[in-house]
Amino acid sequence: QVQLVESGGGLVQPGGSLRLSCAASGTIFTMYPMAWYRQAPGKQRAFVATITSGGSTNYANSVKSRFTISRDNAKNTIYPQMNSLKPEDTAVYYCNVVASGTPYWGQGTQVTVSS
């Protein structure tokens, strides 16, 4: 059973920072790339960033240079660090892994950027 548990969301002012986390169960963490997606109100879920087991990263253009994703293999956890947040970053953020062709999602964590 694959379980992904996100935390770290909240309310932040424009220009502020937040660090999310996603803890993964089992052995999947070191086997597959981990990713973050987000879903804003009224919009489809969209890719944010991904990190491979070796630490290679890829980002959506909308967050490049503002977001950084890292991983701690000892804790089976990934950490998106979100800086220079904008109101358009407001969304529910989801952790994702595709293991043996099956996608798994966390429960999501709300990030609201507002003054």
Side-chain angles (χ1 to χ4, degrees), residues 87-104:
E88 51 264 43
D89 294 317
T90 295
V92 178
Y93 284 71
Y94 295 92
C95 186
N96 164 269
V97 65
V98 179
S100 300
T102 301
Y104 296 90

Side-chain angles (χ1 to χ4, degrees), residues 30-106:
T30 57
M31 295 174 62
Y32 302 101
M34 303 288 294
W36 280 89
Y37 286 74
R38 65 186 181 185
Q39 188 164 17
K43 294 189 177 181
Q44 290 188 329
R45 196 169 295 187
F47 169 77
V48 175
T50 189
I51 185 166
T52 68
S53 57
S56 297
T57 57
N58 190 35
Y59 300 92
N61 288 336
S62 59
V63 307
K64 265 180 194 173
S65 78
R66 299 189 298 121
F67 289 14
T68 303
I69 190 169
S70 61
R71 65 190 296 150
D72 184 337
N73 288 337
K75 295 183 179 180
N76 281 12
T77 302
I78 61 170
Y79 303 98
Q81 174 68 43
M82 308 187 296
N83 299 324
S84 302
L85 284 162
K86 306 174 181 180
E88 51 264 43
D89 294 317
T90 295
V92 178
Y93 284 71
Y94 295 92
C95 186
N96 164 269
V97 65
V98 179
S100 300
T102 301
Y104 296 90
W105 297 92

Side-chain angles (χ1 to χ4, degrees), residues 8-14 16-18 20 82 85-87 90-91 109-115:
L11 173 64
V12 62
Q13 292 188 340
S17 298
L18 273 179
L20 307 181
M82 308 187 296
L85 284 162
K86 306 174 181 180
T90 295
T109 185
Q110 176 70 47
V111 172
T112 302
V113 184
S114 174
S115 55

